[in-house]
Amino acid sequence: MKFYKAAVVGAGAMGSGIAQVLSQAGLQVVLKDIEAGYVEKGLANIKRMYDSRVKKEVLTQAEADSHFAKIKGTTGFDGFDEVDLVIEAALEQIEVKLKVFQELDKICPAHAILATNTSALSVSEIASATKRPDKVVGMHFFNPAHVMKLVEVIPGVKTSEETVNAAIDLCRTMQKNPVKVEECPGFLVNRLLFPYLNEALYVLQEGKHGPEEIDKAAVDFGLPMGPLTLLDMTGVDVCFHVNQFLSAQYGLRFKTSPLLQKLVDNGFLGQKSGAGIYQHTPGKIYGKDEKRELNPSLAKLLSEIKIDSGSSSKGGVFDVYRIILPMFNEAVYALQEKVVAVNDVDMAMADGTGLKRGLLSLAKEKSLSFCYDRLIEYSNSHGERFHPAWYLGKLANAQIHDFSELAPAPVASVH
Ligand code: 3HC
């Protein structure tokens, strides 16, 4: 299927990044939000992205101007009756998404594909708000959407193969790397990322390790930014909603850290609100090595939380495996459930989060029994969040040290 015109619903950080990528891929784009101010902010954000592309000599000024001119902002549904595709990037609340899809179904042409950029919610449920569930698909981008290479393509129960293939082709047109993930809460990357983000907050609230120390340990491990910096960038409220959903679906492994709740309750939503774990200057994007101040209210928030540091918590040098192993364990749960092909896990984490080394390669580097034993140790001291996947125990007992030794998973990789 050839796409000529697209609409993006939601002009926030994700929606504007997606609109930029679509326009640079040659599509006409309608960018919609509920208030003119949000639309203007989204367009200004896209203009900044194009200015940066010119500055980095990726595009000439004339090319950037011509791509930018393909985007029209609206607070209504102007132009939606001509689109081939809509990508919804509205609030991460199921009621909002259902309402948006109901409206889109009425207004968009019968052939149009309706994609949702939901972070974790059910694509099948969202599709049920339409009379074209075969044409509804998850297309999950990663923040910053114009930079991160990965798009997860998630079919709902009624999504047709044709729609999935069209979404995959579109990803390639946008120069993104698609990975097909079977529908499950959080899909693949968020499902792995959130136990890691959440655990970093648990470590912080125990009071033995500060934000910079936790972030630095993650960067030294191979992530491009630490979990607490990432939390502020992604949006503390977004992370809270996603984690609450995952916790409701998967139970205790995702039990939301009290600190995450506290930050939201106090309006510390991260970069966009001026403070989260760190202090932020509105509109300023900090460089990798630039020093940032901590949110001055953080110490007070931490002092208000009852600290349960677990019996084996020793302080001293921070053990990065405390936050990495929950991510690894969740990858094994995902393999156990066959929601992703084994070869796609490391690629998806690299393209979706910038992780510079293979997550599953830990099994080879450190051995599966190391991972299993450490998870058991942590589950004894810190509880259910570390409960190892049964598949991990099975592979460790079978002396498997390399996931590539496993028979190809039944999930069809798109690579
Ligand atoms: N906020 C917004 N944009 C940022 C940013 C920030 N804090 N930091 C960097 N960027 C943008 C820059 O503006 C720049 O954009 P431009 O090309 O339009 O000018 C671009 O990223 C590259 O910036 P740099 O050249 O400074 O590159 P770095 O080498 O510092 O990399 C990074 C920046 C790409 C953000 C890198 O640190 C990274 O990969 N971080 C991990 C991001 C990640 O994990 N994303 C997934 C989050 S989870 C998610 O989105 C799922 C959702 O459902 C919750």
Side-chain angles (χ1 to χ4, degrees):
M1 174 174 180
K2 187 98 181 99
F3 295 99
Y4 297 97
K5 184 164 180 173
V8 177
V9 177
M14 293 307 284
S16 53
I18 295 168
Q20 190 277 332
V21 174
L22 286 166
S23 63
Q24 192 172 330
L27 280 81
Q28 299 290 326
V29 182
V30 188
L31 178 64
K32 171 183 162 57
D33 211 313
I34 47 173
E35 282 180 24
Y38 297 151
V39 177
E40 277 157 31
K41 208 167 155 201
L43 290 171
N45 196 17
I46 298 170
K47 176 81 174 58
R48 189 208 60 75
M49 293 171 200
Y50 273 121
D51 289 346
S52 178
R53 310 258 99 35
V54 173
K55 206 164 152 200
K56 291 177 178 173
E57 298 185 355
V58 177
L59 295 174
T60 64
Q61 187 65 55
E63 285 166 338
D65 290 346
S66 132
H67 292 317
F68 185 60
K70 294 187 193 118
I71 308 173
K72 302 276 174 272
T74 179
T75 52
F77 284 100
D78 326 69
F80 276 65
D81 55 346
E82 295 174 339
V83 297
D84 306 304
L85 162 88
V86 182
I87 302 182
E88 168 274 322
L91 286 184
E92 192 61 10
Q93 288 166 14
I94 192 70
E95 308 73 37
V96 174
K97 305 234 185 241
L98 293 174
K99 189 159 177 283
V100 168
F101 274 75
Q102 224 169 26
E103 278 172 323
L104 291 175
D105 192 35
K106 284 189 206 133
I107 294 157
C108 298
H111 75 276
I113 288 180
L114 307 181
T116 172
N117 177 53
T118 177
S119 298
L121 300 173
S122 165
V123 174
S124 303
E125 186 176 355
I126 294 169
S128 74
T130 73
K131 295 196 174 74
R132 62 179 97 183
D134 57 315
K135 293 197 167 60
V136 177
V137 66
M139 287 184 76
H140 183 220
F141 293 72
F142 292 82
N143 193 9
H146 69 301
V147 179
M148 305 310 286
K149 280 287 169 204
L150 184 71
V151 178
E152 292 176 323
V153 175
I154 308 111
V157 283
K158 292 189 177 166
T159 311
S160 70
E161 203 53 36
E162 199 185 346
T163 300
V164 171
N165 290 337
I168 288 171
D169 285 349
L170 176 67
C171 291
R172 296 200 168 117
T173 309
M174 294 186 290
Q175 303 196 351
K176 297 286 186 192
N177 296 337
V179 61
K180 186 177 162 199
V181 183
E182 295 303 314
E183 190 175 22
C184 67
F187 316 127
L188 176 64
V189 171
N190 279 348
R191 181 172 172 180
L192 273 53
L193 198 61
F194 275 76
Y196 151 86
L197 291 179
N198 199 33
E199 198 54 34
L201 289 161
Y202 274 106
V203 175
L204 181 59
Q205 78 184 36
E206 287 168 10
K208 292 186 176 139
H209 303 283
E212 293 104 329
E213 186 188 0
I214 298 167
D215 274 353
K216 181 175 179 313
V219 171
D220 290 347
F221 180 83
L223 285 134
M225 52 172 51
L228 302 169
T229 303
L230 181 60
L231 175 80
D232 275 8
M233 181 182 92
T234 307
V236 177
D237 52 339
V238 173
C239 291
F240 177 73
H241 286 304
V242 173
N243 206 83
Q244 286 290 82
F245 176 73
L246 294 175
S247 159
Q249 302 298 316
Y250 292 116
L252 290 172
R253 286 205 309 281
F254 286 81
K255 189 172 177 210
T256 304
S257 94
L259 179 54
L260 189 53
Q261 172 91 59
K262 265 250 174 257
L263 288 163
V264 174
D265 291 348
N266 286 275
F268 295 127
L269 307 185
Q271 208 168 282
K272 63 184 167 194
S273 75
I277 298 294
Y278 296 95
Q279 194 71 5
H280 301 271
T281 308
K284 174 171 165 59
I285 291 173
Y286 287 78
K288 258 201 294 274
D289 303 316
E290 213 170 329
K291 170 89 184 135
R292 281 152 312 146
E293 298 302 322
L294 290 182
N295 176 351
S297 303
L298 186 63
K300 181 168 174 288
L301 295 189
L302 289 170
S303 72
E304 289 166 5
I305 297 170
K306 185 176 169 300
I307 293 170
D308 170 14
S309 59
S311 56
S312 80
S313 192
K314 299 183 193 80
V317 178
F318 172 55
D319 173 17
V320 75
Y321 290 104
R322 164 91 187 264
I323 56 176
I324 297 296
L325 283 175
M327 177 154 69
F328 175 84
N329 191 32
E330 204 52 43
V332 180
Y333 272 106
L335 291 176
Q336 174 182 307
E337 291 168 21
K338 302 189 185 346
V339 295
V340 69
V342 76
N343 295 336
D344 284 345
V345 175
D346 286 354
M347 182 284 294
M349 291 307 283
D351 288 347
T353 72
L355 180 59
K356 296 185 189 77
R357 59 198 266 196
L359 181 64
L360 291 181
S361 312
L362 269 187
K364 222 183 192 170
E365 286 171 34
K366 305 289 292 183
S367 89
L368 262 192
S369 5
F370 165 88
C371 300
Y372 184 74
D373 293 347
R374 285 300 270 280
L375 282 163
I376 293 283
E377 244 176 65
Y378 275 128
S379 69
N380 289 336
S381 56
H382 292 80
E384 281 293 310
R385 299 195 302 280
F386 293 90
H387 187 76
W390 69 260
Y391 192 47
L392 180 55
K394 172 174 135 168
L395 296 179
N397 289 336
Q399 301 284 316
I400 303 285
H401 295 294
D402 183 350
F403 280 87
S404 62
E405 287 175 40
L406 302 177
V411 178
S413 167
V414 295
H415 296 279

